[in-house]
């Protein structure tokens, strides 16, 4: 019952302390005003007269105290019956309902001189809130381990890249011609994930732009991630809008200069002497031309225009004034895979039509064979220079991690075995520096969350397990629906004790699942291809075995945690519609 304590003491909200005409409150047993020890003589938020009797203890010795919510509580004088005291005011009963354990806010006894109640006292608010802690106070109380966590993220471009000097120098020798106003050769950069391709290319690009400003040479680098911007329309639109914005800024600056010159020439016609203008009228014409140019520069919408119009807008924008442009296409193989090589063909052929500008393409790819699918003309012009980034070995990864950790962590925040272990784990994954940095950062985060003083080996091993699970979740979540159905079929079989399942068993359950969610049923050959793709992603392990005169089949087993993978699959709205998939397992006995 609300208001009862474990020791039988009746706990209630504030009640009236005084009655009109000096009448005392009557209860079933003896009654007496009870003061709240934490309220400096106040009873239930009301003032107590100087002649009030002293505090009286209840039968069980319990005294009044504040409840957990901070609301002043009163202890009933009669704990044996548990009934509340009824206070009579002009014939009306004012008292709490014992069963409900509640009272109406604002109801109170009135004295001849009405007592003003303080709202904070009624609500039980305590001024001593300094000791209360919020949700994040405990988390912030520990000493941070990181000095600058951003240094360990893939998006960070360091000022120094260990073990990539050869590749950086080669890029610089190719691009230096841009600083002479010449067209640099196109560059293709190859290498596995995490080998420093993008970081090195961005580093060289930053150096190129800063040097061009130093020598006042118009040279610009534009970066596009083709995994996100993966169609010809989007690439051209993004490039066009970037150059339109730069042109507008250039025009605005020039207009400010000319308008200032015009105002000075109004007062003193000699102000235009020594400029490119021989008269004020010529200056006015130039201002009008620039204003017209700016007015005509229309940004390209992300959809809706014909591609040839987008291309001509980009062409006009990039050729508006003299400049050398390096277009960096990261994950260039994604662009070719999605929309063919038309974009590369158009970009690589633009220099023959441009009058003021020159364009160079720098393509970055994880796929060493993507040029096999290019038009021979595109391949010959695009791959004028090729740079290969080999994987890092364990010692090189240790150097990289040590270099970054000096900036990322506070002094002496790592034990000696943390960096070697991160490097060893990443070296097993084809020398992936990105994986090594993720491991080190995640280990630091785990140590910080546990409020440890140091990052230790155990944190690295926890980080390894966490990253592996996160990778599986992300890969499974982004699978196409048909691949998810195939994977769900394998999971159903394994959960029911069927190990080393074959393609036929998977296909039988796959068909039943497709019928259940009203999805198209692919052929068994196509399902076999999907299983091979899951094998390539490391989600399943598929081994071809011979059945003698019955031919060959694939024996399939899961390579990922079954419960977590199933949870990710069921989060898909279509697969989540399957209420009970258990009967489908019987399909393995069909045929």
């Amino acid at each position: 019952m609300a208001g009862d304590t474990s020791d039988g003491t009746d706990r209630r909200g504030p009640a009236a302390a005084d009655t009109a005409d000096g009448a005392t409150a009557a209860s079933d047993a003896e009654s007496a005003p009870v003061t709240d020890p934490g309220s400096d003589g106040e009873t239930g938020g009301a003032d107590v007269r100087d002649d009030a009797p002293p505090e009286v203890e209840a039968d069980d010795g319990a005294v009044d105290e504040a409840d957990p919510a901070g609301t002043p509580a009163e202890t009933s004088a009669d704990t044996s019956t548990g009934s509340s005291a009824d206070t009579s005011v002009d014939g009306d009963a004012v008292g709490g309902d014992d069963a409900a354990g509640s009272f109406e806010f604002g109801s109170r006894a009135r004295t001849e001189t009405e007592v003003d109640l303080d709202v904070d006292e009624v609500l039980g608010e305590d001024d001593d809130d300094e000791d209360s802690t919020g949700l994040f106070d405990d988390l912030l109380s520990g000493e941070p381990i990181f000095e600058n966590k951003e240094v360990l993220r893939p998006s960070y471009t360091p000022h120094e890249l260990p073990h990539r000097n050869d590749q950086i120098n080669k890029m610089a020798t190719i691009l230096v011609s841009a600083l002479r106003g010449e067209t640099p050769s196109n560059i293709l950069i190859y290498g596995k994930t995490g080998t420093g391709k993008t970081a090195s290319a961005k580093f060289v690009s930053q150096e190129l732009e800063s040097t061009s400003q130093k020598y006042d040479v118009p040279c610009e680098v534009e970066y596009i991630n083709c995994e996100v911007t993966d169609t010809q329309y989007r690439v051209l639109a993004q490039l066009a809008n970037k150059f339109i914005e730069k042109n507008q800024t250039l025009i605005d600056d020039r207009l400010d200069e000319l308008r200032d010159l015009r105002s000075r020439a109004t007062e003193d016609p000699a102000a235009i002497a020594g400029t490119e203008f021989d008269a004020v009228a010529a200056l006015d014409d130039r201002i009008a031309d620039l204003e017209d140019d700016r007015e005509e520069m229309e940004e390209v919408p992300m959809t809706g225009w014909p591609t040839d119009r987008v291309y001509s807008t980009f062409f006009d924008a990039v050729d508006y004034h003299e400049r050398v442009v390096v277009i960096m296409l990261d994950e260039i193989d994604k662009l070719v895979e999605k929309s063919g090589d038309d974009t590369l063909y158009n970009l690589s052929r633009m220099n023959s039509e441009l009058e003021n500008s020159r364009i160079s393409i720098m393509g970055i790819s994880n796929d060493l064979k993507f040029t096999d699918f290019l038009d021979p003309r595109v391949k010959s012009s695009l791959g004028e220079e090729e740079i290969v980034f080999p994987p890092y070995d364990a010692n090189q990864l240790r150097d990289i991690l040590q270099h970054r950790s000096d900036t990322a962590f506070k002094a002496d925040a790592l034990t000696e075995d943390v960096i070697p272990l991160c490097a060893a784990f990443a070296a097993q994954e084809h020398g992936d520096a990105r994986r090594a940095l993720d491991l080190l950062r995640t280990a630091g985060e785990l140590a910080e969350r546990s409020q440890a003083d140091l990052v230790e080996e155990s944190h690295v091993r926890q980080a390894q397990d966490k990253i592996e699970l996160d990778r599986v979740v992300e890969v499974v979540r982004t699978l196409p629906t048909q691949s998810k159905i195939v994977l769900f079929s394998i999971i159903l079989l394994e959960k029911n004790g069927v190990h080393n399942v074959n393609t036929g068993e998977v296909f039988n359950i796959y068909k039943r699942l497709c019928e259940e969610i009203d999805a198209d049923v692919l052929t068994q050959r196509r399902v076999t291809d999907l299983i091979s793709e899951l094998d390539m992603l490391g989600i399943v392990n598929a081994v071809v075995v011979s059945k003698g005169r019955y031919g060959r089949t694939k024996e399939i087993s899961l390579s990922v945690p079954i419960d977590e993978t199933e949870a990710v699959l069921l989060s898909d709205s279509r697969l989540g519609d399957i209420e009970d998939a258990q009967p489908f397992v019987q399909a393995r006995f069909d045929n």
Side-chain angles (χ1 to χ4, degrees):
M1 179 174 66
D4 286 349
T5 59
S6 59
D7 59 3
T9 301
D10 190 351
R11 310 284 302 267
R12 291 179 176 80
D18 299 330
T19 60
D21 302 326
T24 57
S27 67
D28 294 339
E30 62 181 6
S31 65
V34 181
T35 60
D36 187 334
S39 58
D40 297 328
E42 296 177 356
T43 304
D47 295 338
V48 180
R49 291 192 301 273
D50 295 336
D51 58 348
E55 177 181 271
V56 178
E57 282 193 356
D59 292 344
D60 61 352
V63 295
D64 197 22
E65 61 183 30
D67 67 9
T71 304
E74 294 185 4
T75 306
S76 174
D78 184 1
T79 59
S80 61
T81 62
S83 60
S84 60
D86 293 331
T87 303
S88 179
V89 182
D90 296 335
D92 295 332
V94 180
D97 183 0
D98 183 50
S102 62
F103 68 97
E104 183 180 355
F105 177 77
S107 64
R108 56 194 171 98
R110 297 174 180 270
T111 61
E112 292 176 351
T113 303
E114 186 175 13
V115 179
D116 291 331
L117 288 180
D118 185 86
V119 174
D120 289 342
E121 291 174 353
V122 173
L123 295 178
E125 292 186 3
D126 194 347
D127 293 335
D128 299 330
D129 290 332
E130 296 179 359
D131 296 335
S132 63
T133 57
L135 176 62
F136 294 98
D137 291 332
D138 289 339
L139 298 175
L140 290 173
S141 62
E143 282 294 322
I145 289 178
F146 289 102
E147 188 76 40
N148 182 6
K149 190 190 297 187
E150 298 305 311
V151 173
L152 300 177
R153 297 196 183 277
S155 56
Y156 177 77
T157 302
H159 300 295
E160 181 181 348
L161 286 157
H163 307 292
R164 285 296 177 251
N165 290 335
D166 291 343
Q167 289 79 9
I168 288 173
N169 289 334
K170 187 171 182 180
M171 271 189 275
T173 56
I174 297 170
L175 295 175
V176 69
S177 56
L179 299 173
R180 303 190 184 102
E182 302 169 357
T183 307
S185 299
N186 296 325
I187 306 173
L188 273 183
I189 298 174
Y190 298 102
K192 290 184 177 293
T193 301
T195 52
K197 304 182 301 298
T198 302
S200 298
K202 285 185 174 181
F203 174 78
V204 173
S205 299
Q206 291 173 0
E207 290 290 314
L208 180 65
E209 288 189 319
S210 62
T211 307
S212 69
Q213 294 172 3
K214 177 180 177 182
Y215 292 105
D216 196 21
V217 178
C219 184
E220 303 167 12
V221 180
E222 295 298 338
Y223 173 84
I224 291 181
N225 186 347
C226 296
E227 192 163 19
V228 178
T229 311
D230 57 357
T231 65
Q232 179 176 212
Y233 187 103
R234 291 179 182 175
V235 169
L236 294 176
Q238 186 171 325
L239 287 171
N241 290 336
K242 284 184 177 181
F243 286 113
I244 287 173
E245 182 180 352
K246 290 184 177 183
N247 292 341
Q248 289 174 338
T249 302
L250 184 72
I251 291 173
D252 290 340
D253 293 341
R254 183 60 174 155
L255 282 173
D256 290 340
E257 295 174 3
L258 294 180
R259 286 166 181 160
D260 179 63
L261 178 61
R262 179 68 176 81
S263 64
R264 287 188 283 112
T266 303
E267 299 175 0
D268 180 13
I272 62 173
T275 65
E276 58 184 292
F277 306 103
D278 54 5
V280 174
L283 178 58
D284 290 337
D285 290 342
R286 180 58 178 154
I287 291 175
D289 290 341
L290 287 174
E291 289 175 341
D292 290 341
D293 288 348
R294 198 191 192 293
E295 187 69 25
E296 291 174 0
M297 291 182 181
E298 181 183 2
E299 286 195 357
V300 180
M302 293 315 295
T303 58
W305 283 12
T307 305
D308 57 348
R309 182 183 176 188
V310 180
Y311 176 80
S312 62
T313 302
F314 163 62
F315 183 93
D316 293 339
V318 76
D319 204 35
Y320 184 74
H321 70 89
E322 182 180 355
R323 51 160 65 108
V324 178
V325 178
V326 178
I327 299 175
M328 190 189 308
L329 300 174
D330 200 358
E331 307 286 355
I332 191 174
D333 51 296
K334 305 293 185 185
L335 176 63
V336 174
E337 179 182 326
K338 180 73 177 286
S339 57
D341 55 12
D342 291 345
T343 310
L344 301 180
Y345 180 82
N346 290 330
L347 292 176
S348 62
R349 299 286 169 173
M350 279 184 67
N351 286 330
S352 60
E353 303 173 18
L354 292 170
E355 296 180 3
N356 300 317
S357 301
R358 292 290 177 267
I359 285 181
S360 174
I361 300 173
M362 181 188 296
I364 304 173
S365 174
N366 300 328
D367 186 357
L368 303 178
K369 299 181 179 180
F370 95 95
T371 54
D372 295 346
F373 305 100
L374 295 178
D375 184 287
R377 295 169 295 176
V378 176
K379 184 176 180 180
S380 62
S381 61
L382 189 63
E384 294 173 336
E385 297 281 354
E386 294 186 355
I387 303 175
V388 177
F389 280 67
Y392 294 107
D393 60 32
N395 291 329
Q396 291 173 334
L397 288 173
R398 288 176 64 175
D399 292 341
I400 293 169
L401 292 178
Q402 188 64 57
H403 183 262
R404 298 279 188 102
S405 65
D406 291 341
T407 308
F409 291 96
K410 291 185 177 294
D412 301 323
L414 307 179
T415 58
E416 293 182 356
D417 50 359
V418 167
I419 288 179
L421 186 58
C422 288
F425 278 140
Q428 296 172 2
E429 306 252 345
H430 313 295
D432 188 342
R434 190 175 301 168
R435 176 61 176 267
L437 292 169
D438 284 344
L439 265 175
L440 185 58
R441 188 191 75 252
T442 306
E445 290 173 346
L446 292 172
E448 202 169 57
R449 289 170 195 167
S450 63
Q451 297 188 351
D453 296 328
L454 295 173
V455 184
E456 301 176 350
E457 176 187 340
S458 59
H459 296 124
V460 178
R461 297 191 182 278
Q462 291 175 31
Q464 170 78 349
D465 295 338
K466 181 178 184 298
I467 289 176
E468 181 63 27
L469 182 58
D470 290 347
R471 184 192 71 82
V472 170
V473 169
E474 182 61 24
V475 170
V476 173
R477 187 182 63 81
T478 56
L479 285 174
T481 301
Q482 290 288 349
S483 295
K484 287 182 178 179
I485 300 173
V486 172
L487 179 57
F488 195 38
S489 304
I490 299 170
I491 288 177
L492 288 177
L493 287 165
E494 288 230 353
K495 284 191 71 175
N496 287 274
V498 184
H499 303 294
N500 295 324
V501 298
N502 60 51
T503 309
E505 291 172 331
V506 173
F507 183 69
N508 286 335
I509 295 185
Y510 161 82
K511 287 190 299 182
R512 300 294 184 91
L513 290 175
C514 287
E515 293 168 1
E516 177 73 9
I517 65 175
D518 196 22
D520 294 334
V521 179
L522 303 179
T523 63
Q524 184 164 345
R525 178 180 292 276
R526 181 60 186 136
V527 169
T528 303
D529 292 339
L530 294 179
I531 292 173
S532 299
E533 291 177 11
L534 295 174
D535 183 23
M536 183 183 67
L537 292 171
I539 297 175
V540 302
N541 183 30
V543 181
V544 178
V545 295
S546 174
K547 296 292 185 179
R549 63 192 182 93
Y550 297 104
R552 296 188 303 169
T553 187
K554 282 186 176 179
E555 287 191 349
I556 307 152
S557 58
L558 279 175
S559 302
V560 292
I562 188 167
D563 292 333
E564 290 84 350
T565 307
E566 182 182 21
V568 175
L569 290 174
L570 291 176
S571 66
D572 186 292
S573 58
R574 298 194 69 180
L575 291 178
D577 292 339
I578 302 174
E579 295 182 359
D580 184 10
Q582 191 68 25
F584 297 128
V585 181
Q586 300 302 319
R588 74 180 292 261
F589 298 111
D590 296 346
N591 300 330

